Amino acid sequence: MFRNIRLACALIIAMLVPCWAGDTPGVTATEIKIGGIFPLSGPASSIGQIGHGVLAYVQSINDRGGINGRKINYVVLDDAYSPPKAFEHARRLVESDEVAFMFSQLGTAGNAAVAKYLAAKRVPTIAIVTGASKFTSVKDYPLTTTGLVSYDTEGKIYAKYLMRALPTAKYAILFQNDDLGRDYVNAFKAILGADFDKRVVTASYEVTEPTVDSQVVALKSSGAQALFIAGTPKFAAQASSIAGTLKPAGLENSVGVIVGTPNKDPNDQKWTDDEGIKAYRTFFDRYLAGSDITNTSYLTGYQQGLVLEQILRQCGDDLSRDNVIKQAKSLKNLVLPTALPGIRINTSESNNMIWTQLQLQRWTGTRWEQFGEILDASSE
């Protein structure tokens, strides 16, 4: 009888051991291992700096003692914006490094290349840095959350703006010939409807092309009064990074460029005394010293890090993959200190998008000037 009592006690103790103790890959009592894939080199390297931003923020977390007693081991690999490399890296991270989950992988094509594999392995992929509309389908991608405003939402916002600002004009769209570019084109089609073919002229390019000069010449000759560019910063002036996009294009040539953003600009004197921006600049001086703070890809990485920290804190000691995706879809009225006033993060079982709102802003030649209200896809 005594032996039976001791056995029962042993079983109870075993049942009380947290789920991280051995049955969740990448999780120990002192560490959680997470994977990330970024184009740190190649044609999208300017936005690949997001990866360095996330790494820097993870280091700041670890320097503060980690989360719930665990340090974060963030394993980052460079896919050079190549889908085959992204797939190779995903297999290594899951099967060799045994990460608990993937976080902040950048690139539409790369995420598409690894999606089926990660789903088959039941590995969550959190806050992916792509706005491709297909990833916003909770049914098709139940283990995914997205870390950018969807290209569909963004495209509809731009289309509605142009229809108000230039109601009778013809519009030109230069788009990257992949899911990213086509999502924007389809968003314009959804808003313009039957008028699309009469009002819009398009030209596509491959990400491997050295320039888009011929496409721009063709679009200019169409008589269009507005040019919308749907692509990565090497080709586009639509990203809100002064260093990554506007300087290469020529700041004087970028006057009047309009973009949407959820973020404060850390380089704008308007936010000099803002506590969130002051904290970011202090962080940047310590963890990204020598980098160009005008490249706001670093800011995106910093914000990704803030989201990761929130998710892990909500997880507590239950770092099972099921709870990670559950908490990633349970962000409620989260306000990041570097987000514009009025921008909030809300995710749920039916909404896997971290960002759903934008503020339009116009480049004046020296700074971004916000105008209008906070917008989402339903905004008029």
Side-chain angles (χ1 to χ4, degrees):
M1 176 65 72
F2 182 65
R3 287 197 304 270
N4 289 339
I5 292 173
R6 291 181 61 188
L7 177 59
C9 290
L11 287 172
I12 291 170
I13 291 170
M15 290 172 66
L16 292 176
V17 175
C19 65
W20 49 261
D23 62 350
T24 299
V27 180
T28 70
T30 59
E31 178 184 274
I32 178 168
K33 188 182 292 184
I34 302 168
I37 302 173
F38 296 89
L40 302 178
S41 61
S45 58
S46 65
I47 53 175
Q49 301 308 315
I50 291 172
H52 290 300
V54 181
L55 266 173
Y57 191 81
V58 165
Q59 183 59 54
S60 76
I61 292 175
N62 291 339
D63 286 349
R64 287 180 268 125
I67 299 175
N68 296 323
R70 293 183 186 84
K71 299 293 182 71
I72 300 172
N73 182 357
Y74 190 46
V75 184
V76 170
L77 301 177
D78 175 19
D79 69 354
Y81 213 58
S82 164
K85 285 186 179 180
F87 184 81
E88 175 187 330
H89 290 336
R91 287 194 62 181
R92 173 193 148 174
L93 289 167
V94 172
E95 298 175 21
S96 298
D97 294 300
E98 296 187 319
V99 298
F101 60 94
M102 299 288 293
F103 182 80
S104 198
Q105 180 176 347
L106 190 155
T108 299
N111 275 286
V114 305
K116 288 184 179 179
Y117 169 76
L118 293 175
K121 294 291 185 178
R122 300 295 299 167
V123 178
T125 177
I126 308 299
I128 58 175
V129 187
T130 170
S133 59
K134 66 181 180 182
F135 294 119
T136 67
S137 170
V138 174
K139 178 182 177 182
D140 295 334
Y141 297 92
L143 299 180
T144 297
T145 67
T146 65
L148 292 182
V149 174
S150 78
Y151 303 141
D152 177 71
T153 294
E154 195 173 359
K156 287 175 179 176
I157 288 173
Y158 292 140
K160 289 177 181 179
Y161 168 76
L162 286 175
M163 290 180 71
R164 291 194 305 270
L166 298 168
T168 62
K170 179 182 287 188
Y171 314 135
I173 301 177
L174 174 64
F175 70 98
Q176 197 162 292
N177 190 26
D178 58 14
D179 286 342
L180 180 156
R182 289 188 290 270
D183 268 358
Y184 283 109
V185 174
N186 289 334
F188 269 72
K189 287 181 178 179
I191 296 302
L192 273 76
D195 289 337
F196 179 86
D197 291 335
K198 295 180 288 185
R199 300 271 309 274
V200 180
V201 57
T202 66
S204 66
Y205 68 87
E206 303 298 330
V207 72
T208 53
E209 292 184 46
T211 73
V212 290
D213 290 352
S214 61
Q215 291 94 325
V216 171
V217 169
L219 291 173
K220 186 174 182 181
S221 67
S222 72
Q225 292 179 253
L227 171 63
F228 179 78
I229 308 175
T232 48
K234 178 181 177 181
F235 305 100
Q238 64 111 36
S240 60
S241 170
I242 297 169
T245 301
L246 299 188
K247 279 183 180 177
L251 294 179
E252 72 284 354
N253 296 324
S254 304
V255 174
V257 166
I258 293 171
V259 302
T261 183
N263 306 326
K264 300 168 186 171
D265 181 357
N267 309 291
D268 192 334
Q269 291 185 352
K270 175 180 180 179
W271 306 110
T272 299
D273 296 323
D274 180 83
E275 292 301 321
I277 293 301
K278 286 197 293 186
Y280 173 66
R281 295 187 74 90
T282 298
F283 157 85
F284 199 96
D285 289 343
R286 179 174 178 182
Y287 292 100
L288 290 165
S291 301
D292 185 357
I293 198 170
T294 66
N295 186 337
T296 50
S297 289
Y298 294 113
L299 176 63
T300 300
Y302 175 81
Q303 293 186 145
Q304 290 280 92
L306 287 168
V307 170
L308 175 62
E309 182 176 21
Q310 179 65 28
I311 292 169
L312 292 178
R313 291 197 184 283
Q314 288 182 196
C315 284
D317 262 343
D318 183 358
L319 290 168
S320 63
R321 286 170 171 171
D322 285 345
N323 196 41
V324 167
I325 189 63
K326 177 182 178 181
Q327 297 306 323
K329 293 182 181 179
S330 301
L331 301 173
K332 305 300 181 187
N333 288 317
L334 178 62
V335 177
L336 300 191
T338 48
L340 287 165
I343 301 285
R344 286 177 169 76
I345 294 173
N346 285 284
T347 58
S348 68
E349 283 297 324
S350 60
N351 172 43
N352 68 355
M353 296 178 282
I354 289 174
W355 301 103
T356 60
Q357 300 168 295
L358 287 175
Q359 168 77 63
L360 291 182
Q361 56 184 10
R362 183 184 293 106
W363 180 247
T364 66
T366 57
R367 60 184 294 270
W368 289 109
E369 181 180 75
Q370 285 86 42
F371 64 93
E373 304 296 324
I374 299 294
L375 303 173
D376 58 29
S378 63
S379 301
E380 293 299 328

